[in-house]
Amino acid sequence: MFIKNIELNKVLNLKDEVQILPGQIVSKTLVQNQSVSLTVFSFDKETEISTHESNGDAMVFIIEGEGTFTVGNKKHLVKEGETLIMPANIPHAVFASEKMKMLLTVIF
């Protein structure tokens, strides 16, 4: 099985796959292998992932809410329904300016 931790052959709403918990970031990995990583995240308001790098191109799709993504030295406010591509090997960080859920896809 390639996709895990989620029902197959069923229409689902990704919003329901992770819950927003007070003061926390919650993640649920759907795929993790040498080629691709697919993870659903929820962020409580004002939580963050500090600056880090990935050796793959990362695409975030905001399912709910909004957040500020710093890629290199540039800040992007990304809102519900929007997508941002973060190139490999460029430092990036995430700050949830309000409660937020997102789908992260990383291609290696």
Side-chain angles (χ1 to χ4, degrees):
M1 183 182 320
F2 297 101
I3 295 179
K4 60 184 182 179
N5 300 325
I6 194 168
E7 286 188 67
L8 302 179
N9 200 24
K10 181 179 178 185
V11 176
L12 302 168
N13 190 329
L14 286 179
K15 283 183 183 182
D16 299 333
E17 293 302 315
V18 286
Q19 301 305 312
I20 295 173
L21 300 176
Q24 294 185 39
I25 298 169
V26 177
S27 66
K28 183 175 187 178
T29 300
L30 306 179
V31 176
Q32 182 73 53
N33 60 47
Q34 64 186 9
S35 302
V36 65
S37 172
L38 199 62
T39 309
V40 181
F41 284 88
S42 70
F43 293 73
D44 194 14
K45 183 177 182 175
E46 298 184 353
T47 57
E48 63 185 318
I49 297 176
S50 61
T51 303
H52 62 285
E53 291 182 26
S54 171
N55 60 353
D57 288 337
M59 180 179 80
V60 294
F61 173 75
I62 306 302
I63 300 167
E64 180 179 297
E66 65 182 44
T68 300
F69 293 76
T70 304
V71 183
N73 294 321
K74 188 172 182 181
K75 291 185 185 252
H76 304 271
L77 178 62
V78 188
K79 299 178 181 181
E80 185 173 320
E82 295 180 332
T83 299
L84 173 67
I85 307 296
M86 299 180 291
N89 304 311
I90 303 292
H92 57 274
V94 182
F95 177 77
S97 45
E98 62 178 58
K99 293 179 180 183
M100 178 177 75
K101 293 182 180 181
M102 72 177 201
L103 174 64
L104 173 67
T105 303
V106 183
I107 306 297
F108 302 101

